[in-house]
Amino acid sequence: MTPTETREKLTLAAERLFAEKGIDNVSLREINRAAGQKNVAALHYHFGTREALLTAIFEYRMAGIN
């Protein structure tokens, strides 16, 4: 899997879990699992923080709108 594919899977998994459970009720480890990542540091590697992950979700969705 390429880094771009990993990033997209993490973004989509986070978006779904945030919508289902709320932003503050989802752990980063849970997002990693939902995206099929065995490396527990994958999310931190690609985004760094929860806030950066949220920004990435908005950017991902806004690309199609813009």
Side-chain angles (χ1 to χ4, degrees), residues 1-62:
M1 185 176 314
T2 69
T4 302
E5 291 170 332
T6 300
R7 185 177 171 91
E8 183 175 19
K9 282 188 172 198
L10 288 165
T11 301
L12 294 174
E15 179 183 44
R16 181 178 55 79
L17 289 170
F18 287 162
E20 290 174 359
K21 300 180 178 187
I23 293 168
D24 293 328
N25 297 321
V26 178
S27 71
L28 299 182
R29 189 174 297 253
E30 188 176 358
I31 295 167
N32 270 329
R33 263 195 317 269
Q37 292 301 307
K38 293 185 171 132
N39 180 354
V40 295
L43 198 137
H44 183 70
Y45 172 80
H46 286 280
F47 302 103
T49 65
R50 182 181 300 267
E51 291 78 19
L53 175 58
L54 284 168
T55 299
I57 292 169
F58 285 115
E59 289 172 353
Y60 182 81
R61 290 299 173 192
M62 291 304 292

